[in-house]
Amino acid sequence: MFFKRRFGRDIAELISDPMCRGILASDSRTLGVSAVFPHLVKGEYENQSIIKSMYRNKVKEPEFVGNSNEFALKAKFDGWRMMNFNHGMEQLPRAILNILRDSPNVDIYENSPVDHISVRNPEVTVTVKDGKPRHCDYIVSALPSFALARALRDEQIGKHLSDIKFNDVALVSLEFRDISFDLQAFGCLIPSYENPAVLGIIFDSAIFPESDTTDYKSCRLSLMIGGEWFEKYFGDAQSCDQDLIRTMALDTVKQYLGITAEPS
């Protein structure tokens, strides 16, 4: 209602709704604007207008500090907005792991699932599946909130973490052979009043054409499906009909991009 009251129905349905679906896989009408767009709420309060606030607080280009390496400088001067890795996102944590292995005062435990975390100031105890407790002063967790909640099951914060809602999203990646893709864009987001089950389409061939095969002309797309509407259309994520999701993806590509061929 925040955007509808201030900008009208069209802005709410064609901009804020698809944006919340694409970023958060959620219904914009159920989200708290103070949590999702705090800068807009703050700007309106300070300037009595969202438009005035956006004009007065234009986003500045990030500044490079310190001794930036050649790669970072190239990204700056060539105006990069996105990048990928030759071997996928896994390449980044593996590179970090290799650096840490050779660093002093660093112990790495692999294949050691965390069973329990106990917080007793000023010490934190982490117990893994092998039963051996490890004592530390601080913990930086990269676990999703529901997994961290299980580890902190005896702590008050664990109960709060378990209340955080997670939406299931299916990612369907498609390649179409002998089809050229001429749309130069990141992709498109689909308003919920058109097709609630499909959140959006990513134009992979337009974003990273170097990842296309060189053996033949192709078009690669990825569809985000479900989100807050997953259970309504597909049921439980663990036992859903994957053929139904694939069929919906192909129907969406046909409807919005006019592609009727079978994916290769």
Side-chain angles (χ1 to χ4, degrees):
M1 297 301 292
F2 179 86
F3 286 93
K4 186 176 181 180
R5 286 199 300 265
R6 288 159 178 80
F7 299 105
R9 179 176 177 178
D10 287 347
I11 295 296
E13 291 185 348
L14 297 175
I15 296 180
S16 68
D17 172 77
M19 188 164 57
C20 289
R21 283 159 54 81
I23 297 173
L24 302 168
S26 294
D27 189 338
S28 61
R29 295 166 295 185
T30 65
L31 296 170
V33 67
S34 297
V36 181
F37 302 108
H39 59 289
L40 293 184
V41 176
K42 180 181 178 182
E44 183 184 45
Y45 175 79
E46 294 177 346
N47 300 278
Q48 288 75 54
S49 167
I50 294 177
I51 301 299
K52 287 181 181 179
S53 171
M54 294 173 67
Y55 179 77
R56 292 174 179 174
N57 299 284
K58 292 181 179 179
V59 177
K60 297 180 180 179
E61 287 290 324
E63 297 182 4
F64 281 75
V65 296
N67 298 319
S68 298
N69 60 34
E70 181 180 351
F71 184 80
L73 292 173
K74 180 175 176 58
K76 175 186 177 182
F77 290 116
D78 288 352
W80 292 5
R81 289 295 179 266
M82 291 176 291
M83 60 172 290
N84 66 349
F85 299 98
N86 292 333
H87 302 290
M89 289 299 295
E90 187 182 10
Q91 188 172 344
L92 178 60
R94 286 195 175 278
I96 295 174
L97 179 63
N98 290 334
I99 292 174
L100 291 176
R101 276 201 176 107
D102 298 329
S103 301
N105 303 317
V106 174
D107 296 321
I108 297 176
Y109 300 94
E110 297 181 84
N111 302 313
S112 302
V114 174
D115 179 67
H116 186 254
I117 298 175
S118 175
V119 181
R120 296 294 180 267
N121 288 330
E123 187 178 75
V124 181
T125 302
V126 180
T127 303
V128 296
K129 290 295 185 180
D130 62 14
K132 181 181 179 182
R134 296 176 173 88
H135 305 286
C136 51
D137 298 319
Y138 302 97
I139 290 180
V140 178
S141 172
L143 296 172
S145 59
F146 59 86
L148 184 59
R150 289 196 294 265
L152 286 164
R153 53 186 176 272
D154 297 332
E155 308 295 332
Q156 185 64 34
I157 189 175
K159 297 177 176 62
H160 293 302
L161 289 169
S162 62
D163 290 335
I164 297 176
K165 181 182 177 182
F166 266 70
N167 292 325
D168 295 306
V169 176
L171 182 67
V172 181
S173 296
L174 304 171
E175 181 195 63
F176 297 94
R177 187 167 182 164
D178 297 327
I179 293 179
S180 59
F181 194 82
D182 299 324
L183 290 176
Q184 295 304 307
F186 183 88
C188 66
L189 298 174
I190 299 174
S192 58
Y193 73 84
E194 288 190 9
N195 190 344
V198 182
L199 308 176
I201 308 171
I202 301 172
F203 303 159
D204 297 316
S205 288
I207 304 170
F208 299 118
E210 65 275 8
S211 297
D212 286 352
T213 180
T214 57
D215 297 334
Y216 49 83
K217 183 171 61 176
S218 66
C219 165
R220 293 181 301 111
L221 304 167
S222 293
L223 288 87
M224 301 173 292
I225 297 177
E228 190 159 333
W229 298 263
F230 194 100
E231 187 173 357
K232 177 181 179 180
Y233 287 91
F234 309 108
D236 183 74
Q238 301 298 322
S239 57
C240 64
D241 185 348
Q242 296 188 15
D243 289 335
L244 177 60
I245 295 175
R246 180 181 183 274
T247 299
M248 182 171 288
L250 293 176
D251 289 344
T252 301
V253 169
K254 179 180 179 180
Q255 176 184 353
Y256 287 93
L257 300 177
I259 299 176
T260 59
E262 279 292 311
S264 54

